[in-house]
Amino acid sequence: MRAIIPVAGIGTRLRPHTHTIPKALVQVAGKPILGHILDEIIPLGIRDVVLVTGYMGGRVKSYVGEAYRDLNVCYVDQEERLGLGHAIYLTRECVENGPTLIVLGDTVVTADFSSLVGGERTLIGVKEVDEPQLFGVVEVEGGMVKSLVEKPDVPPSNLAIVGLYYIVNTPLLYEALTDIVEGDVRTKGEYQLTDALKLMLERGEVMGTFSVEGWHDCGRPDTLLETNRFLLDRSGGNGSDIPGSVVVPPVSIDPSATIERSVIGPHVSIAAGATILDSVVRNSILNAKAHVEKSLLDNSLIGEGAVVHGHFRRLNVGDSSEIEIGG
Ligand code: UTP
C-alpha cells in the first residue's frame, strides 16, 4: 500500500506563518504537521509515499528528504491549486494498481489504522460533527455509503468526511478523476475528490466508512494550538529540567533551544534554535529561531525568526494601593 499526501495548498488561513513556510511544515508539538502525519502512517508498513507539492514545494522536499531518508517518495508538482480532486488526479503517473491511502496534509487523524490496512473494501474516514454543512458529508445505509456531498445546505447525516481515504479500486479512482478534470466538472469552483468518489459509487464501487477517534485540524491558528495541546497530552512531551527555569509539562523543547530564567508550559512547543529569556510562556508554539524576552505569552504562535520583546515595569506604589497591570 502507498499513501498520497497533498500538501500543495497556500494555507491562507494560517497567515502570516504561511508567508514564509508551507503549511505542512508549520510546527506543532515538536515537529512539522507533515512529520506527525508520516509518523502515523509509517508503522502501517507504508514505504511508498506520493507528495503533491506546490506552494513552497522545495522546502517540503528538503524536509522529507532529510528527515525521512528511508521513504520512497514520488513528488508531483501542482502548479495551479485547482482543488483536492485535481491534486490527486496529477498523481496518476506515480501510482500503480493496489490499495492507496489518501491523507490530507493539514490534518492529524488518530484512529486504529491497523483495521484499515489490507481491507478489501474502499473506506471513507468519518467523524460525527455538530455542523455537517461545513464539511463533505456521507449518507450511510445498511453500513454502506449511499451518497457523498460536499458542504451540503441540507446535510443527509452528521458524518463528516475527515480527509482520510482508503481506496481499493485505484484504477477506478483515476478514471473518475480524469472524467471530472477533463470534463471540467467543478463544485464551488474546484475539482473535488468528493465528486470523484461519488462517480466511483455510481460506477459500482462499494464503500464503507471508517470512524476516526480524533480529527485534529491544523489549518487555523486556534485549531493548530488545540492540536498542539492534544498531541502534547498524548505523547507527554519531552520536558526536561532546565537549570534556572521551571518546566510545567507537557512541553516539547528542542535541545538546541536556549531557555533562561523562565517558566515554560504547559502545552508549549519550542523549535530548534529558539530563545526564551525572563519570560512565562504557556499554551504556545515557537517556531525555529524565534526569540522571546521579558514577555508573558499565552495562546500564541511565534513564527520562524520572529522577535518578541517585552519590558519589566518600574513601579513606586504606596501602601494599600490597588493596581491592575496590562490587559
Ligand atoms: P485546504 O482546503 O485546507 O487548502 O486543503 P489550503 O490551501 O491548504 O489552506 P487555506 O484554505 O488556503 O487556508 C486541504 C489539503 O489539501 C491540499 C492542501 O495542501 C491541504 O493539505 N490541497 C488542496 C492541495 O494539495 N491542492 C489543492 O488544489 C487543494
Side-chain angles (χ1 to χ4, degrees):
M1 183 170 68
R2 80 194 60 78
I4 302 175
I5 310 177
V7 291
I10 295 174
T12 49
R13 290 166 299 157
L14 214 48
R15 283 179 182 158
H17 302 281
T18 46
H19 281 313
T20 44
I21 43 175
K23 181 160 69 170
L25 297 194
V26 169
Q27 288 277 325
V28 59
K31 58 188 160 198
I33 298 166
L34 183 56
H36 288 282
I37 295 171
L38 290 170
D39 290 348
E40 288 279 342
I41 63 171
I42 288 170
L44 303 176
I46 291 179
R47 289 291 169 273
D48 295 319
V49 173
V50 183
L51 281 170
V52 185
T53 55
Y55 181 67
M56 295 197 204
R59 287 201 57 169
V60 175
K61 284 182 201 168
S62 311
Y63 168 69
V64 176
E66 275 284 305
Y68 294 91
R69 287 169 193 269
D70 294 344
L71 283 183
N72 177 20
V73 185
C74 174
Y75 295 97
V76 174
D77 192 35
Q78 187 189 27
E79 284 179 17
E80 268 186 295
R81 254 67 67 198
L82 299 177
L84 188 55
H86 180 251
I88 309 301
Y89 163 78
L90 294 177
T91 64
R92 63 200 185 287
E93 306 296 332
C94 266
V95 174
E96 290 156 16
N97 293 349
T100 301
L101 188 68
I102 301 174
V103 195
L104 295 196
D106 62 350
T107 309
V108 179
V109 167
T110 53
D112 177 13
F113 284 99
S114 59
S115 63
L116 193 74
V117 185
E120 288 176 4
R121 178 173 296 151
T122 287
L123 295 173
I124 314 284
V126 294
K127 184 156 178 69
E128 284 188 19
V129 294
D130 293 333
E131 294 183 288
Q133 63 278 10
L134 302 179
F135 306 94
V137 171
V138 295
E139 184 180 3
V140 177
E141 201 175 81
M144 295 294 118
V145 176
K146 191 178 161 215
S147 69
L148 302 113
V149 51
E150 192 58 40
K151 300 188 182 78
D153 294 330
V154 183
S157 79
N158 62 351
L159 289 178
I161 300 171
V162 301
L164 175 77
Y165 311 84
Y166 175 73
I167 308 287
V168 172
N169 193 345
T170 303
L172 185 60
L173 170 71
Y174 286 108
E175 186 189 297
L177 286 168
T178 304
D179 287 356
I180 296 266
V181 175
E182 293 181 4
D184 198 24
V185 179
R186 300 181 193 227
T187 302
K188 303 200 161 100
E190 295 194 342
Y191 300 119
Q192 306 280 358
L193 178 59
T194 307
D195 287 338
L197 295 168
K198 223 156 63 179
L199 258 189
M200 288 177 74
L201 264 183
E202 285 165 23
R203 293 176 183 177
E205 181 80 347
V206 178
M207 296 182 190
T209 56
F210 172 75
S211 292
V212 306
E213 295 143 31
W215 179 21
H216 306 282
D217 176 50
C218 299
R220 302 193 319 253
D222 57 334
T223 58
L224 184 67
L225 285 167
E226 220 174 283
T227 300
N228 185 55
R229 283 194 290 276
F230 167 81
L231 290 171
L232 286 175
D233 278 336
R234 189 177 70 161
S235 70
N238 69 351
S240 50
D241 281 349
I242 301 175
S245 291
V246 175
V247 173
V248 186
V251 296
S252 171
I253 302 176
D254 190 276
S256 65
T258 304
I259 296 167
E260 292 175 7
R261 302 172 302 279
S262 295
V263 180
I264 308 296
H267 302 120
V268 174
S269 176
I270 301 173
T275 307
I276 302 181
L277 308 175
D278 301 299
S279 296
V280 177
V281 182
R282 61 186 185 207
N283 187 32
S284 295
I285 299 174
L286 273 70
N287 281 277
K289 298 192 182 121
H291 181 101
V292 172
E293 195 168 338
K294 295 185 190 129
S295 300
L296 291 178
L297 294 184
D298 186 15
N299 217 16
S300 299
L301 291 175
I302 311 297
E304 257 187 38
V307 178
V308 178
H309 214 292
H311 294 282
F312 289 127
R313 286 185 175 80
R314 180 185 173 280
L315 298 174
N316 185 6
V317 180
D319 294 354
S320 305
S321 305
E322 186 176 325
I323 290 190
E324 196 172 320
I325 295 176

